[in-house]
PDB file of all heavy atoms in Angstrom:
ATOM      1  N   SER A  21     122.066  84.404 107.130  1.00 54.00           N
ATOM      2  CA  SER A  21     121.055  83.310 107.554  1.00 54.00           C
ATOM      3  C   SER A  21     121.794  82.174 108.090  1.00 54.00           C
ATOM      4  O   SER A  21     121.341  81.545 109.037  1.00 54.00           O
ATOM      5  CB  SER A  21     120.304  82.929 106.269  1.00 54.00           C
ATOM      6  OG  SER A  21     119.392  83.951 105.899  1.00 54.00           O
ATOM      7  N   LEU A  22     122.975  81.737 107.556  1.00 51.00           N
ATOM      8  CA  LEU A  22     123.664  80.501 108.000  1.00 51.00           C
ATOM      9  C   LEU A  22     124.319  80.903 109.268  1.00 51.00           C
ATOM     10  O   LEU A  22     124.245  80.058 110.227  1.00 51.00           O
ATOM     11  CB  LEU A  22     124.774  80.095 107.041  1.00 51.00           C
ATOM     12  CG  LEU A  22     125.500  78.938 107.420  1.00 51.00           C
ATOM     13  CD1 LEU A  22     124.631  77.638 107.641  1.00 51.00           C
ATOM     14  CD2 LEU A  22     126.599  78.635 106.411  1.00 51.00           C
ATOM     15  N   LEU A  23     124.985  81.964 109.377  1.00 53.00           N
ATOM     16  CA  LEU A  23     125.750  82.213 110.647  1.00 53.00           C
ATOM     17  C   LEU A  23     124.903  82.545 111.857  1.00 53.00           C
ATOM     18  O   LEU A  23     125.107  82.246 113.068  1.00 53.00           O
ATOM     19  CB  LEU A  23     126.704  83.376 110.406  1.00 53.00           C
ATOM     20  CG  LEU A  23     128.013  83.061 109.632  1.00 53.00           C
ATOM     21  CD1 LEU A  23     128.829  84.339 109.388  1.00 53.00           C
ATOM     22  CD2 LEU A  23     128.777  82.049 110.400  1.00 53.00           C
ATOM     23  N   THR A  24     123.841  83.309 111.641  1.00 52.00           N
ATOM     24  CA  THR A  24     122.899  83.642 112.693  1.00 52.00           C
ATOM     25  C   THR A  24     122.034  82.458 113.014  1.00 52.00           C
ATOM     26  O   THR A  24     120.754  82.521 112.802  1.00 52.00           O
ATOM     27  CB  THR A  24     122.008  84.840 112.432  1.00 52.00           C
ATOM     28  OG1 THR A  24     121.433  84.762 111.114  1.00 52.00           O
ATOM     29  CG2 THR A  24     122.886  86.119 112.340  1.00 52.00           C
ATOM     30  N   ALA A  25     122.653  81.277 113.178  1.00 44.00           N
ATOM     31  CA  ALA A  25     121.856  80.173 113.436  1.00 44.00           C
ATOM     32  C   ALA A  25     121.753  79.762 114.960  1.00 44.00           C
ATOM     33  O   ALA A  25     122.638  79.274 115.429  1.00 44.00           O
ATOM     34  CB  ALA A  25     122.434  78.990 112.645  1.00 44.00           C
ATOM     35  N   LYS A  26     120.698  80.300 116.080  1.00 38.00           N
ATOM     36  CA  LYS A  26     119.900  79.998 117.235  1.00 38.00           C
ATOM     37  C   LYS A  26     119.484  81.136 118.142  1.00 38.00           C
ATOM     38  O   LYS A  26     120.374  81.561 118.622  1.00 38.00           O
ATOM     39  CB  LYS A  26     120.334  78.921 118.056  1.00 38.00           C
ATOM     40  CG  LYS A  26     120.019  77.554 117.478  1.00 38.00           C
ATOM     41  CD  LYS A  26     120.840  76.598 118.239  1.00 38.00           C
ATOM     42  CE  LYS A  26     120.918  75.311 117.564  1.00 38.00           C
ATOM     43  NZ  LYS A  26     121.884  74.446 117.903  1.00 38.00           N
ATOM     44  N   ALA A  27     118.247  81.557 118.008  1.00 38.00           N
ATOM     45  CA  ALA A  27     117.961  82.694 118.860  1.00 38.00           C
ATOM     46  C   ALA A  27     117.276  82.277 120.186  1.00 38.00           C
ATOM     47  O   ALA A  27     117.725  81.356 120.801  1.00 38.00           O
ATOM     48  CB  ALA A  27     117.141  83.683 118.069  1.00 38.00           C
ATOM     49  N   GLN A  28     116.135  82.825 120.480  1.00 43.00           N
ATOM     50  CA  GLN A  28     115.621  82.705 121.824  1.00 43.00           C
ATOM     51  C   GLN A  28     114.174  82.051 121.668  1.00 43.00           C
ATOM     52  O   GLN A  28     113.638  81.999 120.596  1.00 43.00           O
ATOM     53  CB  GLN A  28     115.509  84.093 122.452  1.00 43.00           C
ATOM     54  CG  GLN A  28     116.706  85.004 122.078  1.00 43.00           C
ATOM     55  CD  GLN A  28     116.773  85.660 120.734  1.00 43.00           C
ATOM     56  OE1 GLN A  28     115.806  85.455 119.859  1.00 43.00           O
ATOM     57  NE2 GLN A  28     117.526  86.611 120.552  1.00 43.00           N
ATOM     58  N   GLN A  29     113.625  81.656 122.851  1.00 42.00           N
ATOM     59  CA  GLN A  29     112.332  81.087 122.744  1.00 42.00           C
ATOM     60  C   GLN A  29     111.302  82.191 123.078  1.00 42.00           C
ATOM     61  O   GLN A  29     111.569  83.268 123.575  1.00 42.00           O
ATOM     62  CB  GLN A  29     112.311  80.161 124.075  1.00 42.00           C
ATOM     63  CG  GLN A  29     113.244  78.917 124.082  1.00 42.00           C
ATOM     64  CD  GLN A  29     112.689  77.936 123.020  1.00 42.00           C
ATOM     65  OE1 GLN A  29     111.525  77.908 122.711  1.00 42.00           O
ATOM     66  NE2 GLN A  29     113.570  77.095 122.638  1.00 42.00           N
ATOM     67  N   GLN A  30     110.110  81.914 122.622  1.00 43.00           N
ATOM     68  CA  GLN A  30     109.015  82.854 122.735  1.00 43.00           C
ATOM     69  C   GLN A  30     107.704  82.036 122.982  1.00 43.00           C
ATOM     70  O   GLN A  30     107.667  80.855 122.581  1.00 43.00           O
ATOM     71  CB  GLN A  30     108.812  83.805 121.561  1.00 43.00           C
ATOM     72  CG  GLN A  30     108.198  83.253 120.287  1.00 43.00           C
ATOM     73  CD  GLN A  30     107.876  84.400 119.345  1.00 43.00           C
ATOM     74  OE1 GLN A  30     108.722  85.221 119.124  1.00 43.00           O
ATOM     75  NE2 GLN A  30     106.769  84.367 118.645  1.00 43.00           N
ATOM     76  N   PRO A  31     106.796  82.635 123.657  1.00 48.00           N
ATOM     77  CA  PRO A  31     105.448  81.819 123.866  1.00 48.00           C
ATOM     78  C   PRO A  31     104.984  81.140 122.659  1.00 48.00           C
ATOM     79  O   PRO A  31     104.924  81.812 121.499  1.00 48.00           O
ATOM     80  CB  PRO A  31     104.675  82.860 124.530  1.00 48.00           C
ATOM     81  CG  PRO A  31     105.522  83.826 125.101  1.00 48.00           C
ATOM     82  CD  PRO A  31     106.654  83.896 124.119  1.00 48.00           C
ATOM     83  N   LYS A  32     104.308  79.953 122.884  1.00 59.00           N
ATOM     84  CA  LYS A  32     103.763  79.285 121.767  1.00 59.00           C
ATOM     85  C   LYS A  32     102.547  80.071 121.152  1.00 59.00           C
ATOM     86  O   LYS A  32     101.735  80.495 122.046  1.00 59.00           O
ATOM     87  CB  LYS A  32     103.266  77.946 122.175  1.00 59.00           C
ATOM     88  CG  LYS A  32     104.437  76.895 122.328  1.00 59.00           C
ATOM     89  CD  LYS A  32     104.967  76.376 120.978  1.00 59.00           C
ATOM     90  CE  LYS A  32     105.998  75.391 121.137  1.00 59.00           C
ATOM     91  NZ  LYS A  32     106.521  74.933 119.775  1.00 59.00           N
ATOM     92  N   GLU A  33     102.456  80.261 119.884  1.00 65.00           N
ATOM     93  CA  GLU A  33     101.371  80.878 119.253  1.00 65.00           C
ATOM     94  C   GLU A  33     101.326  80.337 117.806  1.00 65.00           C
ATOM     95  O   GLU A  33     102.190  79.754 117.422  1.00 65.00           O
ATOM     96  CB  GLU A  33     101.410  82.427 119.340  1.00 65.00           C
ATOM     97  CG  GLU A  33     102.526  83.010 118.676  1.00 65.00           C
ATOM     98  CD  GLU A  33     102.564  84.605 118.882  1.00 65.00           C
ATOM     99  OE1 GLU A  33     101.491  85.222 118.761  1.00 65.00           O
ATOM    100  OE2 GLU A  33     103.641  85.128 118.957  1.00 65.00           O
ATOM    101  N   LYS A  34     100.307  80.718 117.126  1.00 77.00           N
ATOM    102  CA  LYS A  34     100.157  80.248 115.751  1.00 77.00           C
ATOM    103  C   LYS A  34     101.372  80.667 114.935  1.00 77.00           C
ATOM    104  O   LYS A  34     101.910  81.685 115.093  1.00 77.00           O
ATOM    105  CB  LYS A  34      98.839  80.834 115.130  1.00 77.00           C
ATOM    106  CG  LYS A  34      97.597  80.185 115.717  1.00 77.00           C
ATOM    107  CD  LYS A  34      96.432  80.725 114.933  1.00 77.00           C
ATOM    108  CE  LYS A  34      95.113  80.111 115.469  1.00 77.00           C
ATOM    109  NZ  LYS A  34      93.974  80.547 114.829  1.00 77.00           N
ATOM    110  N   SER A  35     101.832  79.702 114.062  1.00 79.00           N
ATOM    111  CA  SER A  35     103.009  80.049 113.185  1.00 79.00           C
ATOM    112  C   SER A  35     102.631  80.801 112.040  1.00 79.00           C
ATOM    113  O   SER A  35     101.553  80.394 111.361  1.00 79.00           O
ATOM    114  CB  SER A  35     103.742  78.722 112.871  1.00 79.00           C
ATOM    115  OG  SER A  35     104.360  78.202 113.996  1.00 79.00           O
ATOM    116  N   SER A  36     103.332  81.606 111.602  1.00 94.00           N
ATOM    117  CA  SER A  36     103.201  82.299 110.277  1.00 94.00           C
ATOM    118  C   SER A  36     104.377  83.202 109.857  1.00 94.00           C
ATOM    119  O   SER A  36     105.329  83.475 110.723  1.00 94.00           O
ATOM    120  CB  SER A  36     101.990  83.416 110.413  1.00 94.00           C
ATOM    121  OG  SER A  36     101.637  83.929 109.200  1.00 94.00           O
ATOM    122  N   LEU A  37     104.539  83.189 108.575  1.00 95.00           N
ATOM    123  CA  LEU A  37     105.595  84.200 108.172  1.00 95.00           C
ATOM    124  C   LEU A  37     105.156  85.539 107.903  1.00 95.00           C
ATOM    125  O   LEU A  37     106.046  86.435 107.957  1.00 95.00           O
ATOM    126  CB  LEU A  37     105.983  83.695 106.601  1.00 95.00           C
ATOM    127  CG  LEU A  37     106.695  82.235 106.532  1.00 95.00           C
ATOM    128  CD1 LEU A  37     106.988  81.851 105.148  1.00 95.00           C
ATOM    129  CD2 LEU A  37     108.005  82.195 107.436  1.00 95.00           C
ATOM    130  N   LEU A  38     103.736  85.787 107.915  1.00 97.00           N
ATOM    131  CA  LEU A  38     103.163  87.070 107.840  1.00 97.00           C
ATOM    132  C   LEU A  38     102.598  87.607 109.177  1.00 97.00           C
ATOM    133  O   LEU A  38     101.916  86.758 109.760  1.00 97.00           O
ATOM    134  CB  LEU A  38     102.139  87.030 106.814  1.00 97.00           C
ATOM    135  CG  LEU A  38     101.391  88.419 106.508  1.00 97.00           C
ATOM    136  CD1 LEU A  38     102.394  89.439 105.972  1.00 97.00           C
ATOM    137  CD2 LEU A  38     100.296  88.169 105.629  1.00 97.00           C
ATOM    138  N   TRP A  39     102.918  88.782 109.666  1.00 98.00           N
ATOM    139  CA  TRP A  39     102.504  89.249 110.816  1.00 98.00           C
ATOM    140  C   TRP A  39     101.940  90.692 110.659  1.00 98.00           C
ATOM    141  O   TRP A  39     102.447  91.495 109.859  1.00 98.00           O
ATOM    142  CB  TRP A  39     103.667  89.295 111.921  1.00 98.00           C
ATOM    143  CG  TRP A  39     104.100  88.044 112.222  1.00 98.00           C
ATOM    144  CD1 TRP A  39     104.919  87.263 111.454  1.00 98.00           C
ATOM    145  CD2 TRP A  39     103.900  87.209 113.394  1.00 98.00           C
ATOM    146  NE1 TRP A  39     105.163  86.032 112.104  1.00 98.00           N
ATOM    147  CE2 TRP A  39     104.585  86.005 113.274  1.00 98.00           C
ATOM    148  CE3 TRP A  39     103.186  87.525 114.547  1.00 98.00           C
ATOM    149  CZ2 TRP A  39     104.562  85.040 114.262  1.00 98.00           C
ATOM    150  CZ3 TRP A  39     103.117  86.498 115.552  1.00 98.00           C
ATOM    151  CH2 TRP A  39     103.898  85.352 115.443  1.00 98.00           C
ATOM    152  N   GLU A  40     100.743  90.964 111.192  1.00 98.00           N
ATOM    153  CA  GLU A  40     100.072  92.323 111.172  1.00 98.00           C
ATOM    154  C   GLU A  40     100.614  93.131 112.248  1.00 98.00           C
ATOM    155  O   GLU A  40     100.538  92.717 113.445  1.00 98.00           O
ATOM    156  CB  GLU A  40      98.656  92.153 111.092  1.00 98.00           C
ATOM    157  CG  GLU A  40      97.927  93.499 110.888  1.00 98.00           C
ATOM    158  CD  GLU A  40      96.431  93.413 111.143  1.00 98.00           C
ATOM    159  OE1 GLU A  40      95.990  93.584 112.274  1.00 98.00           O
ATOM    160  OE2 GLU A  40      95.692  93.303 110.054  1.00 98.00           O
ATOM    161  N   ILE A  41     100.969  94.411 111.981  1.00 98.00           N
ATOM    162  CA  ILE A  41     101.413  95.338 113.070  1.00 98.00           C
ATOM    163  C   ILE A  41     100.304  96.424 113.123  1.00 98.00           C
ATOM    164  O   ILE A  41     100.029  97.097 112.121  1.00 98.00           O
ATOM    165  CB  ILE A  41     102.764  96.009 112.589  1.00 98.00           C
ATOM    166  CG1 ILE A  41     103.870  95.017 112.350  1.00 98.00           C
ATOM    167  CG2 ILE A  41     103.204  97.033 113.820  1.00 98.00           C
ATOM    168  CD1 ILE A  41     105.144  95.630 111.764  1.00 98.00           C
ATOM    169  N   SER A  42      99.727  96.598 114.265  1.00 97.00           N
ATOM    170  CA  SER A  42      98.679  97.568 114.482  1.00 97.00           C
ATOM    171  C   SER A  42      98.747  98.170 115.893  1.00 97.00           C
ATOM    172  O   SER A  42      99.592  97.833 116.642  1.00 97.00           O
ATOM    173  CB  SER A  42      97.375  96.873 114.286  1.00 97.00           C
ATOM    174  OG  SER A  42      97.097  95.849 115.211  1.00 97.00           O
ATOM    175  N   GLY A  43      97.747  99.024 116.204  1.00 95.00           N
ATOM    176  CA  GLY A  43      97.760  99.575 117.541  1.00 95.00           C
ATOM    177  C   GLY A  43      98.632 100.737 117.724  1.00 95.00           C
ATOM    178  O   GLY A  43      99.076 101.333 116.725  1.00 95.00           O
ATOM    179  N   LYS A  44      98.754 101.188 118.982  1.00 92.00           N
ATOM    180  CA  LYS A  44      99.458 102.376 119.270  1.00 92.00           C
ATOM    181  C   LYS A  44      99.066 103.504 118.580  1.00 92.00           C
ATOM    182  O   LYS A  44      97.936 103.894 118.614  1.00 92.00           O
ATOM    183  CB  LYS A  44     100.972 102.059 119.271  1.00 92.00           C
ATOM    184  CG  LYS A  44     101.762 103.059 120.070  1.00 92.00           C
ATOM    185  CD  LYS A  44     103.286 102.684 120.125  1.00 92.00           C
ATOM    186  CE  LYS A  44     104.070 103.587 120.997  1.00 92.00           C
ATOM    187  NZ  LYS A  44     105.516 103.326 121.001  1.00 92.00           N
ATOM    188  N   ASP A  45      99.915 104.225 117.775  1.00 85.00           N
ATOM    189  CA  ASP A  45      99.492 105.449 117.085  1.00 85.00           C
ATOM    190  C   ASP A  45      99.226 105.223 115.578  1.00 85.00           C
ATOM    191  O   ASP A  45      99.240 106.111 114.739  1.00 85.00           O
ATOM    192  CB  ASP A  45     100.598 106.522 117.284  1.00 85.00           C
ATOM    193  CG  ASP A  45     102.016 106.125 116.800  1.00 85.00           C
ATOM    194  OD1 ASP A  45     102.099 104.806 116.438  1.00 85.00           O
ATOM    195  OD2 ASP A  45     102.880 106.864 116.803  1.00 85.00           O
ATOM    196  N   LEU A  46      99.135 103.838 115.049  1.00 95.00           N
ATOM    197  CA  LEU A  46      98.973 103.573 113.755  1.00 95.00           C
ATOM    198  C   LEU A  46      97.564 103.845 113.279  1.00 95.00           C
ATOM    199  O   LEU A  46      96.603 103.330 113.904  1.00 95.00           O
ATOM    200  CB  LEU A  46      99.474 102.156 113.405  1.00 95.00           C
ATOM    201  CG  LEU A  46     100.869 101.815 113.815  1.00 95.00           C
ATOM    202  CD1 LEU A  46     101.220 100.359 113.358  1.00 95.00           C
ATOM    203  CD2 LEU A  46     101.844 102.781 113.262  1.00 95.00           C
ATOM    204  N   LYS A  47      97.379 104.476 112.177  1.00 94.00           N
ATOM    205  CA  LYS A  47      96.122 104.721 111.606  1.00 94.00           C
ATOM    206  C   LYS A  47      95.662 103.574 110.826  1.00 94.00           C
ATOM    207  O   LYS A  47      94.406 103.329 110.625  1.00 94.00           O
ATOM    208  CB  LYS A  47      96.154 106.096 110.762  1.00 94.00           C
ATOM    209  CG  LYS A  47      96.445 107.345 111.550  1.00 94.00           C
ATOM    210  CD  LYS A  47      96.535 108.477 110.535  1.00 94.00           C
ATOM    211  CE  LYS A  47      96.809 109.811 111.356  1.00 94.00           C
ATOM    212  NZ  LYS A  47      96.871 110.922 110.370  1.00 94.00           N
ATOM    213  N   SER A  48      96.570 102.848 110.331  1.00 96.00           N
ATOM    214  CA  SER A  48      96.265 101.690 109.454  1.00 96.00           C
ATOM    215  C   SER A  48      97.275 100.566 109.737  1.00 96.00           C
ATOM    216  O   SER A  48      98.459 100.972 110.050  1.00 96.00           O
ATOM    217  CB  SER A  48      95.967 102.009 108.031  1.00 96.00           C
ATOM    218  OG  SER A  48      97.256 102.618 107.528  1.00 96.00           O
ATOM    219  N   PRO A  49      97.022  99.354 109.580  1.00 98.00           N
ATOM    220  CA  PRO A  49      98.057  98.316 109.879  1.00 98.00           C
ATOM    221  C   PRO A  49      99.216  98.330 108.861  1.00 98.00           C
ATOM    222  O   PRO A  49      99.038  98.773 107.661  1.00 98.00           O
ATOM    223  CB  PRO A  49      97.283  97.001 109.787  1.00 98.00           C
ATOM    224  CG  PRO A  49      96.107  97.436 108.974  1.00 98.00           C
ATOM    225  CD  PRO A  49      95.829  98.721 109.219  1.00 98.00           C
ATOM    226  N   SER A  50     100.337  97.836 109.324  1.00 98.00           N
ATOM    227  CA  SER A  50     101.480  97.541 108.372  1.00 98.00           C
ATOM    228  C   SER A  50     101.695  96.000 108.573  1.00 98.00           C
ATOM    229  O   SER A  50     100.991  95.264 109.393  1.00 98.00           O
ATOM    230  CB  SER A  50     102.763  98.338 108.777  1.00 98.00           C
ATOM    231  OG  SER A  50     102.566  99.683 108.233  1.00 98.00           O
ATOM    232  N   TRP A  51     102.640  95.436 107.819  1.00 98.00           N
ATOM    233  CA  TRP A  51     102.904  94.000 107.869  1.00 98.00           C
ATOM    234  C   TRP A  51     104.406  93.635 107.855  1.00 98.00           C
ATOM    235  O   TRP A  51     105.225  94.411 107.488  1.00 98.00           O
ATOM    236  CB  TRP A  51     102.335  93.293 106.649  1.00 98.00           C
ATOM    237  CG  TRP A  51     100.911  93.544 106.525  1.00 98.00           C
ATOM    238  CD1 TRP A  51      99.873  92.675 107.039  1.00 98.00           C
ATOM    239  CD2 TRP A  51     100.152  94.608 105.964  1.00 98.00           C
ATOM    240  NE1 TRP A  51      98.620  93.220 106.837  1.00 98.00           N
ATOM    241  CE2 TRP A  51      98.827  94.383 106.185  1.00 98.00           C
ATOM    242  CE3 TRP A  51     100.597  95.817 105.287  1.00 98.00           C
ATOM    243  CZ2 TRP A  51      97.861  95.208 105.661  1.00 98.00           C
ATOM    244  CZ3 TRP A  51      99.672  96.674 104.912  1.00 98.00           C
ATOM    245  CH2 TRP A  51      98.238  96.431 105.123  1.00 98.00           C
ATOM    246  N   LEU A  52     104.717  92.633 108.650  1.00 98.00           N
ATOM    247  CA  LEU A  52     106.170  92.177 108.866  1.00 98.00           C
ATOM    248  C   LEU A  52     106.151  90.580 108.302  1.00 98.00           C
ATOM    249  O   LEU A  52     105.345  89.851 108.640  1.00 98.00           O
ATOM    250  CB  LEU A  52     106.470  92.072 110.333  1.00 98.00           C
ATOM    251  CG  LEU A  52     107.766  91.705 110.760  1.00 98.00           C
ATOM    252  CD1 LEU A  52     108.923  92.617 110.208  1.00 98.00           C
ATOM    253  CD2 LEU A  52     107.870  91.621 112.246  1.00 98.00           C
ATOM    254  N   TYR A  53     107.173  90.500 107.315  1.00 97.00           N
ATOM    255  CA  TYR A  53     107.149  89.199 106.689  1.00 97.00           C
ATOM    256  C   TYR A  53     108.526  88.618 106.922  1.00 97.00           C
ATOM    257  O   TYR A  53     109.552  89.209 106.785  1.00 97.00           O
ATOM    258  CB  TYR A  53     106.837  89.303 105.291  1.00 97.00           C
ATOM    259  CG  TYR A  53     106.741  88.091 104.412  1.00 97.00           C
ATOM    260  CD1 TYR A  53     105.536  87.287 104.517  1.00 97.00           C
ATOM    261  CD2 TYR A  53     107.804  87.545 103.709  1.00 97.00           C
ATOM    262  CE1 TYR A  53     105.511  86.086 103.797  1.00 97.00           C
ATOM    263  CE2 TYR A  53     107.664  86.367 103.015  1.00 97.00           C
ATOM    264  CZ  TYR A  53     106.578  85.587 102.989  1.00 97.00           C
ATOM    265  OH  TYR A  53     106.370  84.508 102.392  1.00 97.00           O
ATOM    266  N   GLY A  54     108.658  87.359 107.183  1.00 95.00           N
ATOM    267  CA  GLY A  54     109.872  86.610 107.373  1.00 95.00           C
ATOM    268  C   GLY A  54     110.356  85.882 106.046  1.00 95.00           C
ATOM    269  O   GLY A  54     109.613  85.132 105.597  1.00 95.00           O
TER     270      GLY A  54
END
């Protein structure tokens, strides 16, 4: 966490630690958490 300190920019959108993964071939959603 300390060493990997600055990544890249991404378009502005709502901030959250929790993200829902859906679509494509998924029958039900999964979740990504920071």
Side-chain angles (χ1 to χ4, degrees):
S21 287
L22 178 61
L23 280 178
T24 50
K26 271 166 195 163
Q28 321 81 348
Q29 296 283 343
Q30 79 177 38
K32 286 286 185 179
E33 61 183 325
K34 290 183 179 180
S35 294
S36 181
L37 295 176
L38 179 66
W39 299 73
E40 182 188 86
I41 307 169
S42 61
K44 203 172 180 180
D45 56 352
L46 300 186
K47 296 179 181 178
S48 54
S50 285
W51 298 269
L52 181 64
Y53 187 81

